[in-house]
Amino acid sequence: MLKVSGLSKRVATAHGDLTILQDIGLTINRGESVAVVGASGSGKSTLLGLMAGLDTPTTGTVSINGTDITRLDEDGRAGFRARHIGFVFQAFHLLPTLTALENIALPLELKGETSAFQQAEKLLADIGLFERATHYPRQLSGGEQQRVAIARGFAASPDLLFADEPTGNLDTRTGSHVIDLLFDLNSRSATTLVLVTHDAALAERCNRVIELEAGRIVKDS
């Protein structure tokens, strides 16, 4: 499903090259839920961005469903993401000029689904926000916005869903509800879930935990 080989990322700084990731290798199978953990600066979000094709590595390859996305140009990676990958971000990244319903329907419309809004309405009902369909993000609480963001991430039935600190901006109680929703939708869709988190409760819900330290994998259990 997802295979990473010899992955490294270096960036130039005023003091010379800075190595963020070094010689990362891992395989994630279809349907797995995987938490990537580690201290701030360990390279978690960089690894997520590389695996999702949001950035390109200095060396190494990322293969998803047999396609080496590191060989694709920017447009090719964008097209691949639209077909195969969903995202949930800490900062929600809902489009402020679209309603909750429209935000969820957007990836379905981009995929060419003729029933985008009907599918989005069902997802809104599934996350308990059907009555908020016409509300804009500014009219929703943080927890509600993240629930909409999760529904949007799953909307197009992606092969892979990447989540970057999905409970990071939420209080403990709201975060717990969001975790339940994330894994409920994941179990229904059989989507492969890869998330970066500092939340121990969220990591414990995953099948597997990968720990990074100074840009290297130090634990995979």
Side-chain angles (χ1 to χ4, degrees), residues 8-134:
S8 297
K9 182 67 177 181
R10 293 186 294 275
V11 296
T13 72
H15 305 288
D17 284 354
L18 173 66
T19 298
I20 302 173
L21 292 172
Q22 187 166 344
D23 197 28
I24 299 291
L26 60 90
T27 298
I28 296 174
N29 297 315
R30 188 179 302 276
E32 273 196 294
S33 57
V34 180
V36 180
V37 303
S40 295
S42 61
K44 302 184 303 297
S45 292
T46 299
L47 177 58
L48 194 76
L50 292 173
M51 291 192 295
L54 296 172
D55 193 8
T56 55
T58 305
T59 63
T61 61
V62 177
S63 177
I64 298 174
N65 293 343
T67 297
D68 181 357
I69 64 171
T70 59
R71 292 181 177 273
L72 302 176
D73 61 18
E74 188 172 347
D75 288 341
R77 293 196 308 276
F80 187 89
R81 288 194 301 270
R83 296 188 301 274
H84 299 284
I85 295 173
F87 296 94
V88 177
F89 298 99
Q90 177 178 352
F92 317 138
H93 289 318
L94 299 177
L95 294 177
T97 57
L98 299 184
T99 65
L101 180 64
E102 290 166 341
N103 265 286
I104 295 173
L106 182 60
L108 292 162
E109 290 184 297
L110 293 174
K111 199 175 179 180
E113 295 281 350
T114 57
S115 60
F117 280 88
Q118 291 90 329
Q119 293 180 61
E121 286 176 346
K122 182 181 184 305
L123 277 165
L124 265 180
D126 287 345
I127 64 173
L129 290 177
F130 187 77
E131 74 283 359
R132 297 278 203 249
T134 60

Side-chain angles (χ1 to χ4, degrees), residues 132-191:
R132 297 278 203 249
T134 60
H135 286 59
Y136 291 92
R138 66 180 181 277
Q139 299 171 306
L140 303 173
S141 69
E144 289 171 337
Q145 288 184 62
Q146 190 60 300
R147 285 154 69 187
V148 171
I150 288 172
R152 181 185 60 185
F154 279 104
S157 300
D159 298 320
L160 274 160
L161 181 74
F162 291 101
D164 193 358
E165 297 287 2
T167 59
N169 280 336
L170 306 175
D171 60 71
T172 301
R173 181 179 178 184
T174 304
S176 178
H177 290 316
V178 165
I179 291 171
D180 288 342
L181 172 65
L182 184 65
F183 282 93
D184 178 53
L185 290 178
N186 187 61
S187 66
R188 288 193 235 169
S189 66
T191 295

